[in-house]
Amino acid sequence: MAKDLYEILGVSRNATDDEIKKAFRKQARKLHPDVNKSPNAEEEFKELNEAYDVLSDPNKRAYYDRTGSTPGAAGGSGPYGTGYVDFGDIFGGGGFGGMGDIFSSFFSGMGGGATARREGRDMGVGLRLTLEEVATGAKKEIVYDRLAPCPDCDGKGLGEGGREVTCPECSGTGRVYSVQHTFLGDMRTTSTCSRCGGTGHTIENPCPECEGQGRVPDRQRVTVEVPAGIRDSQQLRITGFGEAGLRGAASGNLIVTCRIQPHDFFEREGDNLHGMAKVSMTQAALGSEIVIDGIMPDEKVTVRIPEGCQNDQVIRVKGKGMPKFRSDLRGDLFVHVDVMIPKKLTKSQRELLERLAEDLGEEYTQARSPLERLRDAFN
């Protein structure tokens, strides 16, 4: 039997969102492989992260409470209202691929491998969009993991009665010096101060939730407004939603790269659209009007097939392509004609075509019955 997700996090079934977040961070600090060297640490942290994936999402939590089963991984698309996030596109410093990597970055910020940089780094995600969403514009909610400002200390890193002071180890320089005596003489080397992490300051009475960093690993939900007409690989910048800075320093930005999915009917070329329409040989010969679905919701596009239209002929319909980016104008629609030849004809249909061929002076081969073809073979 699967373990109870509330039990994994150590919270009650009526726990608030804040209680779930705090419980997750508390457990994660104990189980993360960077600090827990037991052989089962990685598996236990993965189990903890999967539990948080569900219970931190209101829709997934409701589904779990109702059915007792998990609806899927965080950040997915579908019935839970979030846009698809491609974490393969995430960048920025160490590159954050999930909550495990976020915690690794959090632990490194506590000293040791930290640098003097205080501003948060940019982060990036790829967002999948349909061509219809690009045509109309869309609002997409995405979910991703980041180092966010600590809610307990408002990102300052200070606990009750806490204050930021000059680091006594490096005297505020963020660097420490050492001298090595060698047979070539004294060699002076510098390194990042391990006590303050290169910032030049330490915290007296730090915030217990963020341990003085002013930021904590968290799952972020943000709504992205995608303007109509955006191109594939075009990027949107959401200010302040990247990695939070240390102790109130500026946060980085979230860079959203739009990934437009292939369409079943239309192919995009800049602001223009290309599509194929099937017409009968009589429609092509005599000329006609056909109606096809456009890219906009409930849009019907009339395509005028000229008399004598040839197979693969391209017909241009002005102003029925994609909306131009940040404009009221639209590109054009190019309809590629596919003339359909009937595979079977009735007797009367064949007679009509034979008379047409004779009238046009065209030669054709008379169809022979199976019995006639058998006689030909014997002769």
Side-chain angles (χ1 to χ4, degrees), residues 172-187:
T173 64
R175 311 289 290 177
V176 291
Y177 304 91
S178 61
V179 177
Q180 290 181 322
H181 302 286
T182 70
F183 69 93
L184 296 176
D186 293 344
M187 297 184 64

Side-chain angles (χ1 to χ4, degrees), residues 265-333:
F265 181 75
F266 293 115
E267 184 174 334
R268 186 181 186 184
E269 183 184 35
D271 295 322
N272 298 324
L273 289 176
H274 291 260
M276 180 174 289
K278 299 180 183 297
V279 300
S280 67
M281 64 178 188
T282 53
Q283 288 175 315
L286 300 175
S288 62
E289 287 188 353
I290 62 173
V291 178
I292 63 174
D293 292 331
I295 192 62
M296 305 299 285
D298 302 321
E299 183 180 40
K300 300 297 181 181
V301 179
T302 299
V303 182
R304 292 177 174 82
I305 307 298
E307 181 179 336
C309 183
Q310 302 298 302
N311 190 54
D312 289 334
Q313 186 169 331
V314 180
I315 300 171
R316 180 181 181 182
V317 184
K318 293 184 177 182
K320 295 299 181 181
M322 291 294 292
K324 297 186 177 182
F325 187 65
R326 303 196 187 283
S327 171
D328 295 331
L329 302 177
R330 292 175 64 180
D332 299 332
L333 171 62

Side-chain angles (χ1 to χ4, degrees), residues 237-258:
R237 181 184 299 269
I238 305 178
T239 304
F241 278 87
E243 179 187 78
L246 283 170
R247 301 170 194 160
S251 297
N253 301 318
L254 179 67
I255 311 299
V256 181
T257 303
C258 295

Side-chain angles (χ1 to χ4, degrees), residues 15 37 133 135 154 163 165 273 293:
K37 302 307 178 183
E133 288 173 331
D154 294 327
R163 65 191 183 105
V165 298
L273 289 176
D293 292 331

Side-chain angles (χ1 to χ4, degrees), residues 187-202:
M187 297 184 64
R188 189 184 189 195
T189 60
T190 63
S191 60
T192 301
C193 177
S194 60
R195 184 165 183 175
C196 67
T199 64
H201 297 83
T202 58

Side-chain angles (χ1 to χ4, degrees), residues 27-38 41 107 110:
Q27 295 275 40
R29 286 172 182 156
K30 297 178 181 178
L31 298 177
H32 192 277
D34 282 0
V35 294
N36 188 347
K37 302 307 178 183
S38 70
F107 293 131
M110 294 164 61

